[in-house]
Structures are given as C-alpha cells and as structure tokens.
Amino acid sequence: MGNKLDQFVLNAPQKGKVEFISYRKEHKGEVLTANKVNILKSSGIEGDHYGKEGNRMVTIIQQEHLDIIARILNKESIDPKLTRRNIVVSGFNLKALIGHKFQIGSSILLATGDCVPCNRMEENFGPGGYHALVGHGGITCKVIEGGAVELGDELSILKED
C-alpha cells in the first residue's frame, strides 16, 4: 500500500454494478452498445478500436457522475454513449480506485488515472460539454487479467498483499 489512507479504500464494503457497456470499432466511429464483452489482456475490449496495451485500455465512468453532468448542462439525463466511455458503473466511487486493482465481471483491471474529457465533449453535449466532464469523466484502466463483463456484473476492489 502506498499510503495510510489506502486502507480506507481497500476496506470499502460497497460493490459497483455494471449499467452500460460500449465500444467503437474505429477511432471517432459510432459507439456500439453491448450486453456483454470480452476484455483481453493484450488489447482491452475485444473489437474496440483501441486494441493495444497501455494505461487506457478500458474507460469507466460512474452513473452518478452522468447525473451530475446532466445537472450542470441543464438536461434531464445524459446518454452514456455521448461520453464515449466503455463502461458505466453505479454504486462505487471510481476515483478512489486509482492506483488499485479491482475486479469487474471476471476481469481484473488496474485503475491508472483520470479519463479527462476531449474536444468531442463540446461536439456531443454542446457549449459547456467539456467543462461539465472535468472531474467527472471517469477513469482509465490497464487490463491485468482478461475476462468477460456483462450488464449487472459487480465491480469490487481487490485486497492487496
């Protein structure tokens, strides 16, 4: 463990729930939704355009942050496809995961950092879209062990040795 506060993160009794899954076959391509995906250690979500190892193989955003983004933009709700994130999870503070391994479905990921918004957010949400996602854009992840993820699966932090 990196610091003394990590014990509080690792002791979180909450479990997240997968609410939405998507991927894109090509860069800037259409966002496709799925009920289930395979996450590969070598390339992230099978069929996704990213297709390489690194710290941004899978992106995850919280449902609760979609609600915040909607409020900032004075909208009833936000279509998760517009965020261009791979997975939406409810019930777990994703920012607390950064630097830690967690299980989602049967895959194990490492939260590597914030998923910062890009200029596409202005295109997708209109003026203020980029601003609305700052601090609410989710996390980036590296795949530690591949596996399947499907709607309704749990997300839980893994205890570290």
Side-chain angles (χ1 to χ4, degrees), residues 6-22:
D6 282 341
Q7 68 181 320
F8 301 124
V9 172
L10 297 176
N11 288 331
Q14 298 86 5
K15 297 207 182 288
K17 179 182 173 189
V18 175
E19 304 285 352
F20 174 87
I21 303 170
S22 71

Side-chain angles (χ1 to χ4, degrees), residues 24-145:
R24 292 175 284 146
K25 290 184 177 181
E26 55 190 37
H27 183 67
K28 295 188 178 182
E30 177 187 1
V31 177
L32 305 171
T33 59
N35 292 326
K36 180 179 180 179
V37 290
N38 290 315
I39 296 180
L40 308 174
K41 184 175 181 181
S42 61
S43 59
I45 293 180
E46 187 173 30
D48 190 65
H49 78 285
Y50 190 79
K52 61 183 176 183
E53 219 173 321
N55 288 333
R56 191 185 169 108
M57 298 170 79
V58 177
T59 57
I60 306 175
I61 191 169
Q62 295 178 222
Q63 176 62 52
E64 294 82 359
H65 282 194
L66 294 179
D67 299 339
I68 291 169
I69 294 164
R71 289 187 71 184
I72 291 169
L73 294 172
N74 293 314
K75 297 182 183 282
E76 288 281 324
S77 63
I78 294 294
D79 180 351
K81 290 170 84 173
L82 295 176
T83 68
R84 305 181 75 75
R85 305 303 188 254
N86 298 124
I87 299 172
V88 176
V89 173
S90 64
F92 200 96
N93 182 0
L94 295 176
K95 296 275 278 187
L97 289 174
I98 294 176
H100 298 284
K101 293 178 187 174
F102 62 96
Q103 183 165 348
I104 185 167
S106 62
S107 65
I108 297 176
L109 306 178
L110 170 67
T112 55
D114 288 317
C115 191
V116 297
C118 66
N119 65 348
R120 295 293 305 263
M121 298 306 101
E122 288 288 305
E123 293 172 29
N124 291 356
F125 295 111
Y130 175 89
H131 179 294
L133 267 83
V134 171
H136 305 292
I139 60 172
T140 57
C141 304
K142 179 177 184 161
V143 179
I144 304 301
E145 288 182 27

